[in-house]
Structures are given as C-alpha cells and as structure tokens.
Amino acid sequence: MKPTARPVITVVGGGFAGTALVLQLRRQPALVGAEIHLIEPREVPGPGLAYTARRPEYLLNVRPGGLSLYPDAPNHFADWLKRQPESAAGLPEFASRAAYGRYLREELAQELNTAAVRWHQTTAVAAPLLPDGRRAVQLADGTVIGSDVVVLALGNFPPPPPTGPDQRYLQHPGYHADPWAVGNLRRIGPDEDVLLIGSGLTAVDVLLALRQDGHRAPITVVARHGRWPSAHGPVMAAYPSFYPELAHETTVTGVVAVYKQHLKAAAAQGLDWRAVLDSLRPDLGRIWAAWPLAEQRRFLQHLAGLWAVARHRSPPQNAEAVAALTAAGLVQLHIGTVREILPEGNRLRVGVRCHSPDTCWHTADHVVSCAGPLLDYSRIATPLVVSLREAGDLTPDPLHLGLLTDAHGALLNAAGAVSPGLFTLGPSRRPAYFESTAVPELRQQAAALAAHLAQ
C-alpha cells in the first residue's frame, strides 16, 4: 500500500467478508490512523444477503462454535449467543440466520460509531486509477473517494437465468429469480403448484419457509444430481489430519484414493466420513492449488456435485423435515436439467432434460430458482465490475469461478501483473482456494489481508 499521511482504505461490500475485514483493519496498530470507508447499499450493514432474512426457520448450517468473526477467538459467537433471548432454554445446536445477522450488525456497529469508519449507503460504480497511483472510487450518489486501497468484498451474485435464449419467463409474475428477496415467497398461494430448480441448502430453506407459511400443494424439485445435502451428524472425536500424504498428489484420482483409505481407517475407529472430510478442512486450498488446471476442471465436471452434498451439510432437523415431506408425497425430487421455461397464461411450462433423450414437461404456478450463484466475472453486469473489467484491472479465471489474484488477494490485470491498490476477498477468490464462501475461510482471509495492508 502506498504510504500517505492518513491512508484511505475503501471496502466495497458490507456483508460478512466486508464486515470481517473492517473489524480486522481496526485491530491493526499500524492502521490506527487509517480512514476506512464501507460501501453497502442495504439498510443495515453487516448481515449482507445471507443473514438479512428474519425468518426463524432459516437455520445456519454450522454449529455456533465454528462461526466466530475472529480466528483468534473461536467461541466469540457462541458466547454472544448464550446472552440472547433464543438461548434462554439453552444454547441452540444450530442458530438462526437472523441471530447471526444481529451478531454481525452489533459487532460492526461498534466501529461505525467511531470517527475511523464511515458507512456510505449506496453502491460503487467505478474505481479508475489516478495518476498518483491511488484509486478514485465513484459512488452512485456522486461521492468520489480517493483511496490508497480498494477491496472488493462483493459476496455472491444471483444465479444466472437457467435457460435461454427465450427468456420471456424472467418477467412472468410466477418466476422467482431471487428466493431471498423480501416477501418473494409470500406471493405464493397455499394451493399453488411450485417447482424448485436445485436441491441444495437454498432449496431446503425455501421448502421449509413455504411450509411455515401454510403451503399445502405438492412441490416438484428438479436437480442435476438428484441429491439433498447430507445432514450433520452428532459431534464426534476429530480424525487426525493426513494432509502430508496428499501434499504431493497432483491428480483428483490420487487424492480420492488416499481419502478412501482413511475412510476405512476411520470406520475401524467408529468414526464416519464426516470426520475424515472435516480433517482436511484447513488444507483444502492447498489440495486444490496442487492440481493443474486440467485436474481442477475434471473435479468440477465429475465430483463437484458430490462434494457440495457432502461438504455443505444441513442441520439434522432440516434434513428430517425434507425426508418427512418426501415420504408424505409433498415433495418430489426429479433428476434432470431445466432446458426451457415457457409462459402459458398465469402458469409456467418447464422443460427438463431427463436421462432419456426426450424432454419431460412440468407445469407450475411458480418456479423458484435455487441454483448456485453466478461466479463467472466475465458475465457479471454490475457497473463496478464492468468498469474494472473493461479497464483491464480484473481478470476472470479460466474455470469461471472468480478472479485471478496473487497470494494476498491483489487483483491481477489483463497482463498478469498486480493491479495497483486493488484487492478482493470472499467468493471471488474461489480460483485460489475453491472453498471460499464459509465463515472459517473468510475470516482467515480478512485477518490475513488486514495484516498485509498494515505492513
């Protein structure tokens, strides 16, 4: 970072990643005089999209002990949660997303009440390079912030449209592109037919929210792999790390072979696959980085779906609720890929490519996209991303997972050099880590980046 009398750091995005970074920057003695700007258009900074919803049925999919904002204080969230009304009868095994949103909001509010951090309730639209090497962060309200460092903490972008080129359905009142939009699901009547695209954690939340709202009609779910997220098991003894056996493995096949050996060893000790997989959590980034591009692509094509089911698990009570709905015939899961969505009056006709060459057709009053986020930065159309992309200041990765960066999260430009003063953290760093969306990884990124900027 170019030294100035009072360094100016602008963080674009006030969800978890941006919040964690601001808090870590404020912990750096070398940055005690820094001027920090946080750009976040939502009414309250801190929770972001993931933790804004106030619905109590939306549960976190990690136990409280794994959700602290601070890597050096692992019980910080659990201790906070113990003091909240929802813990009057005891600490919940899986807290609500709304509770976690309050936690983030309260931690950040302590810094927003100081002179060092200024929150701008708007969006950033450009950040061109100035002749002196700084960046001019241009906001939608006309403000311009001369910044020594700009950090993109943009989080996840909404999923792309599931079909094309005929996209008339995007304007149909029965199509729900964003299940997290406030009041979106409450537009669905109790007896109206619903089809969900995707069967991950978002789909589980949508199912439970609809039932909580009194929805009675059967729900159709279409997913490529046809699997629900695995459920969390009971807390058990940790399995020892076996990363040294994987340190030199440069193929997916080699890693899987070693993993299977340890599954057998764990079973002999009374431990299941969850403990074995979780033992690799601190080293997943290094395992991914050791694979050449062709192996990474092979993993995405053949194993990423299975990985998501095993890695991103559901609270047991959520998994039990989905199983009960399925057993009662209220949820029907179909394997296939949505190829076409056609408006038919007040309804939508959905064409699904199943195992057979023929297209299977489903008709529904509402179609809800529960697919994964858009990761391809060559397709993201927000003004800030477009302006930086057109200026050659950011480079989408060849696997369409995020952005190319150096080891500290500095953006690489079109020539492969570090873009002056531009950094990123969060899901945009999936090309480097693959796993770059969960709290343990993001809080570590925030702490490391803050320490780097303080040097």
Side-chain angles (χ1 to χ4, degrees):
M1 181 171 66
K2 182 179 177 181
T4 60
R6 189 183 185 200
V8 178
I9 302 173
T10 298
V11 180
V12 184
F16 179 88
T19 295
L21 179 61
V22 168
L23 295 174
Q24 290 294 339
L25 290 170
R26 293 289 293 141
R27 287 180 152 204
Q28 300 295 324
L31 296 176
V32 67
E35 179 182 323
I36 301 172
H37 295 265
L38 178 65
I39 317 302
E40 172 52 58
R42 293 183 177 86
E43 293 183 0
V44 177
L49 176 64
Y51 309 112
T52 296
R54 296 188 175 93
R55 304 186 69 124
E57 63 270 22
Y58 287 172
L59 299 181
L60 297 162
N61 66 319
V62 177
R63 293 180 172 93
L67 291 169
S68 169
L69 265 165
Y70 310 102
D72 58 351
N75 293 320
H76 191 270
F77 173 62
D79 291 341
W80 176 91
L81 187 60
K82 290 174 183 176
R83 303 189 295 270
Q84 305 308 305
E86 50 261 68
S87 299
L91 188 69
E93 186 179 19
F94 292 90
S96 70
R97 288 177 175 269
Y100 198 64
R102 291 203 320 271
Y103 166 68
L104 298 176
R105 184 174 70 243
E106 290 179 13
E107 287 297 300
L108 182 60
Q110 299 178 44
E111 298 301 336
L112 294 180
N113 291 329
T114 69
V117 181
R118 181 182 174 189
W119 166 39
H120 303 261
Q121 191 180 359
T122 183
T123 58
V125 297
L129 186 64
L130 297 172
D132 65 358
R134 303 172 84 222
R135 294 270 170 183
V137 181
Q138 301 170 7
L139 307 185
D141 64 6
T143 303
V144 178
I145 306 169
S147 306
D148 297 285
V149 168
V150 179
V151 182
L152 307 183
L154 302 178
N156 284 316
F157 292 88
T163 71
D166 184 351
Q167 297 185 344
R168 291 174 297 156
Y169 66 90
L170 295 178
Q171 282 71 50
H172 193 282
Y175 181 73
H176 303 255
D178 182 7
W180 304 109
V182 176
N184 202 344
L185 299 181
R186 292 199 165 102
R187 294 193 289 109
I188 299 175
D191 296 305
E192 292 183 313
D193 295 326
V194 177
L195 184 144
L196 308 184
I197 302 174
S199 62
L201 292 170
T202 298
V204 173
D205 282 343
V206 169
L207 282 176
L208 299 182
L210 288 173
R211 292 307 171 193
Q212 183 68 26
D213 291 345
H215 189 266
R216 298 184 290 261
I219 296 174
T220 301
V221 181
V222 176
R224 284 184 299 174
H225 52 68
R227 298 180 180 89
W228 294 107
S230 297
H232 277 284
V235 177
M236 61 178 59
Y239 188 78
S241 171
F242 53 98
Y243 174 72
E245 299 175 45
L246 299 172
H248 303 292
E249 288 287 351
T250 58
T251 68
V252 176
T253 301
V255 170
V256 171
V258 175
Y259 174 72
K260 287 182 176 179
Q261 292 172 8
H262 283 274
L263 285 180
K264 294 178 181 178
Q269 302 172 38
L271 300 175
D272 73 7
W273 60 268
R274 297 171 182 82
V276 181
L277 189 149
D278 292 346
S279 73
L280 293 175
R281 181 74 178 270
D283 303 300
L284 291 173
R286 292 195 287 177
I287 294 170
W288 169 259
W291 292 340
L293 193 65
E295 288 296 310
Q296 292 178 346
R297 183 177 286 111
R298 183 173 292 111
F299 174 84
L300 293 175
Q301 290 174 344
H302 301 292
L303 289 179
L306 286 172
W307 170 260
V309 166
R311 166 68 184 81
H312 302 288
R313 298 169 212 151
S314 190
Q317 55 266 54
N318 286 6
E320 291 167 3
V322 172
L325 290 170
T326 302
L330 295 173
V331 172
Q332 298 177 351
L333 179 58
H334 298 269
I335 300 174
T337 304
V338 172
R339 290 301 187 191
E340 198 168 7
I341 303 177
L342 302 174
E344 285 193 348
N346 294 329
R347 310 193 83 199
L348 290 164
R349 193 162 177 252
V350 182
V352 178
R353 190 179 72 180
C354 307
H355 286 308
S356 66
D358 298 329
T359 297
C360 309
W361 289 93
H362 302 267
T363 303
D365 299 298
H366 297 269
V367 174
V368 185
S369 177
C370 302
L374 176 60
L375 306 171
D376 183 358
Y377 270 73
S378 68
R379 299 172 59 190
I380 290 169
T382 59
L384 177 61
V385 172
V386 171
S387 65
L388 291 173
R389 189 172 62 222
E390 291 180 346
D393 288 329
L394 61 76
T395 307
D397 77 296
L399 296 177
H400 312 299
L401 294 176
L403 295 173
L404 294 181
T405 66
D406 73 1
H408 301 292
L411 297 188
L412 301 186
N413 63 22
V418 172
S419 297
L422 278 176
F423 292 80
T424 190
L425 78 165
S428 54
R429 295 196 68 186
R430 282 172 62 96
Y433 298 111
F434 184 68
E435 284 289 325
S436 191
T437 58
V439 167
E441 286 77 26
L442 299 192
R443 69 188 179 194
Q444 191 60 52
Q445 285 183 31
L449 180 54
H452 175 69
L453 296 179
Q455 292 177 358

